[in-house]
Amino acid sequence: MRLCKTGIIALLALSAMAYFSCASSKKVVYEEVEEEPVYMTEAEKKAAERKKAEAELLEIGWTKKSSKNVDATYGNIRLRSRKGLGTFNIGLVNENGKTVSVLSTANEYMTTSFYLKAGKKIIRLNQNSSVKTYSRKTENGMQLVYVVDKVAYVVLDFNCFASDPKSDDINTVKVTCAVQNIGKKKEEFAVKMVLDTVLGETDRHHFYDSEGEPVKSERELRNLTEDDWFVSQNMNGTMLFTFAGLDATEPNLVAMANFSTLDSSSWNPNMLDYRSFDTILSYNNSAVGAVWKDKKLLVEDTTSETFYITLSASSNRLYENILLTDSGSSDKKTASKENNTESKTPQAKPVENTKQETTSAPVKETAKVPEKEPVKEPVKETVQEPVKEPVKEPVKEPEKQTTENKKDSKYSPEYIQAILDKIDMLKEDGTANQAEIEALNKELDSIFGALVN
């Protein structure tokens, strides 16, 4: 019996060794397959890079203890946040080092906010007791994290940089809002933003579009292009918004409206293009809103939305979007404006010259005709042939007396009036030749006589 048990144990040991040997060999084959290169298209590469960036944003490696209020300046941009509230603010630092508010600083920046829609639920991220908020300073900006338990992580990333590659002046903020589904099932998510702007509230107009035209009433933008950037400004500075171009994610809707229109319980604002920026509830209070597209996310899947804000301390309005000049849109736009101006100017000059020639020509003709014709004919007739003058006029003139004579320039009312004007002018001149006046009077008598007969 002992020998049998020993044999059985030996057999089991050999079987186990053979099993693990096979398993390890299979594992080697599997690893070799995984290491084979994966070929991706450019679109797939960009999608992978974006997903990696989103994942990096959502790696919350810092705890509540490391969360702090932020007050940091990068170039001419000042970023501030309140860790316990999840609120933030952007300011413009001018040449004197003073901060100019571009977003409202009232009530600890509470009027500027992001919203999350998860399924049918709408959550205002900075005014919800169930949302845990954190903030911290980063190398080039700051981050805010909103933790909606069993629903989503939301990370706001503010990255400051110089928009002009030829300059080191930091003047632009890239704002990215990343969302991760931490629920137990696939869900549809969307992001909305309301920025309580203040620059335009002390200017004649709240906003100006990329053409430099004032926005005089509420306006919504859909199907955005690179030419749909706009500004909020006053004499102290300019705030330029870019929602299309570069890697900005195009929203379903961008709105310039009264704050009360955008700060509502409904997901999409009730826009009225004839409504001004003044309402009964909110006087002279403008804001910018953006609503991005709904996206379905698997569990632990991520998505993000991006837009840009460029600040200028100059009181002059920005006539181009320096962010887009590399893509040629702003350059082409400026060039087209210059070409249009140049093409119109040469065309306008010939028109003006033509009008001047047309206006001056009749004056010259009227001045010359009465001077030459009456002087030569009456002088010859009076001095050389005084007796034949009455004979010539009845013989020659009646032959031309038809209904068409009135249309002839010599018998036209304009010609007669020109002679009368010439006589008046000569009478007013003290040095006028009396003989010339008499000659003109005889010319008139001759014309009147021909018309009567």
Side-chain angles (χ1 to χ4, degrees):
M1 290 293 291
R2 289 179 180 176
L3 292 173
C4 291
K5 286 181 179 179
T6 304
I8 291 170
I9 291 170
L11 287 171
L12 290 171
L14 290 171
S15 299
M17 290 174 65
Y19 174 79
F20 286 114
S21 176
C22 292
S24 62
S25 63
K26 288 181 181 178
K27 186 175 181 181
V28 172
V29 174
Y30 175 76
E31 288 176 353
E32 288 177 356
V33 172
E34 285 294 308
E35 289 175 358
E36 289 181 359
V38 178
Y39 297 97
M40 293 189 294
T41 63
E42 288 298 321
E44 289 173 338
K45 285 181 180 179
K46 288 182 179 180
E49 290 173 0
R50 189 175 188 87
K51 193 169 183 179
K52 182 181 178 182
E54 292 167 354
E56 289 175 354
L57 282 178
L58 291 159
E59 285 181 0
I60 306 174
W62 40 290
T63 63
K64 187 175 181 179
K65 291 182 179 180
S66 61
S67 177
K68 297 180 179 179
N69 292 336
V70 175
D71 190 345
T73 299
Y74 304 87
N76 67 347
I77 297 171
R78 184 180 179 185
L79 299 177
R80 286 171 284 184
S81 70
R82 296 288 181 265
K83 61 178 182 179
L85 301 174
T87 59
F88 64 89
N89 190 268
I90 300 174
L92 165 64
V93 180
N94 63 19
E95 299 87 350
N96 300 321
K98 295 183 179 180
T99 301
V100 177
S101 297
V102 298
L103 299 177
S104 175
T105 57
N107 195 20
E108 295 190 278
Y109 326 140
M110 194 65 72
T111 52
T112 290
S113 56
F114 272 76
Y115 297 73
L116 176 70
K117 183 170 72 171
K120 295 181 179 179
K121 189 176 182 181
I122 297 175
I123 304 165
R124 181 169 178 170
L125 296 173
N126 65 354
Q127 281 190 7
N128 194 305
S129 58
S130 64
V131 179
K132 298 176 183 178
T133 63
Y134 310 92
S135 66
R136 69 173 178 180
K137 179 183 174 182
T138 62
E139 183 179 356
N140 300 309
M142 70 178 181
Q143 287 182 341
L144 284 84
V145 174
Y146 305 89
V147 181
V148 187
D149 192 30
K150 298 180 181 179
V151 178
Y153 284 138
V154 180
V155 176
L156 282 183
D157 183 72
F158 298 80
N159 185 43
C160 303
F161 65 97
S163 61
D164 188 352
K166 299 177 183 178
S167 173
D168 294 329
D169 294 335
I170 297 174
N171 64 343
T172 299
V173 186
K174 178 182 179 180
V175 184
T176 302
C177 179
V179 180
Q180 182 180 39
N181 181 3
I182 62 171
K184 295 182 179 180
K185 63 178 182 178
K186 180 180 178 180
E187 190 61 271
E188 195 169 66
F189 292 89
V191 172
K192 182 176 81 167
M193 172 204 72
V194 176
L195 300 179
D196 188 0
T197 56
V198 296
L199 289 177
E201 293 168 5
T202 56
D203 187 72
R204 185 176 180 183
H205 301 286
H206 288 267
F207 300 100
Y208 295 83
D209 61 22
S210 60
E211 298 290 342
E213 296 298 324
V215 179
K216 298 180 180 180
S217 58
E218 293 186 350
R219 181 183 297 183
E220 63 178 37
L221 303 174
R222 297 179 184 271
N223 302 316
L224 278 78
T225 67
E226 290 186 359
D227 290 332
D228 287 322
W229 57 270
F230 56 93
V231 301
S232 167
Q233 70 159 14
N234 63 17
M235 63 181 297
N236 297 317
T238 302
M239 185 182 194
L240 186 151
F241 296 89
T242 303
F243 288 96
L246 300 179
D247 61 342
T249 50
E250 180 187 337
N252 269 346
L253 164 71
V254 171
M256 290 169 272
N258 185 278
F259 177 76
S260 62
T261 301
L262 303 178
D263 185 40
S264 64
S265 57
S266 60
W267 184 251
N268 291 303
N270 180 24
M271 299 289 293
L272 296 173
D273 57 4
Y274 59 82
R275 184 165 52 203
S276 69
F277 293 97
D278 297 327
T279 66
I280 297 175
L281 299 175
S282 182
Y283 175 77
N284 192 36
N285 192 359
S286 54
V288 172
V291 181
W292 280 272
K293 303 172 184 177
D294 293 1
K295 297 177 182 177
K296 290 184 178 180
L297 299 181
L298 298 173
V299 176
E300 295 187 359
D301 203 358
T302 61
T303 186
S304 65
E305 313 296 355
T306 300
F307 69 99
Y308 294 85
I309 293 174
T310 302
L311 302 181
S312 172
S314 172
S315 59
N316 296 325
R317 200 187 72 80
L318 297 175
Y319 285 95
E320 66 173 354
N321 189 342
I322 192 67
L323 288 174
L324 305 177
T325 51
D326 290 340
S327 62
S329 62
S330 293
D331 287 340
K332 289 177 183 176
K333 191 174 202 179
T334 305
S336 65
K337 285 183 179 179
E338 291 175 355
N339 291 338
N340 288 339
T341 306
E342 290 173 1
S343 62
K344 288 179 182 178
T345 305
Q347 291 177 2
K349 288 182 180 178
V351 173
E352 291 175 1
N353 292 338
T354 306
K355 288 182 179 178
Q356 289 174 359
E357 289 172 5
T358 308
T359 307
S360 59
V363 176
K364 291 179 181 179
E365 288 177 4
T366 11
K368 288 180 180 178
V369 172
E371 288 177 2
K372 291 181 179 179
E373 292 185 4
V375 170
K376 289 180 180 179
E377 292 180 7
V379 169
K380 288 180 181 179
E381 291 173 358
T382 306
V383 178
Q384 297 178 0
E385 299 179 4
V387 180
K388 295 181 180 180
E389 182 181 350
V391 179
K392 284 183 179 181
E393 288 181 1
V395 174
K396 290 183 179 180
E397 297 296 341
E399 291 177 357
K400 296 181 180 180
Q401 289 177 18
T402 62
T403 55
E404 295 180 357
N405 284 343
K406 293 181 181 181
K407 297 180 182 179
D408 188 75
S409 61
K410 187 175 181 179
Y411 300 96
S412 65
E414 291 82 3
Y415 183 80
I416 295 171
Q417 185 61 48
I419 296 177
L420 292 171
D421 293 340
K422 179 67 174 176
I423 293 172
D424 291 339
M425 183 183 71
L426 291 173
K427 285 182 178 179
E428 290 176 1
D429 188 358
T431 60
N433 189 347
Q434 190 64 29
E436 187 177 356
I437 295 175
E438 291 178 0
L440 291 173
N441 283 324
K442 287 184 178 180
E443 176 71 8
L444 285 175
D445 292 340
S446 175
I447 293 171
F448 291 147
L451 290 172
V452 171
N453 295 330

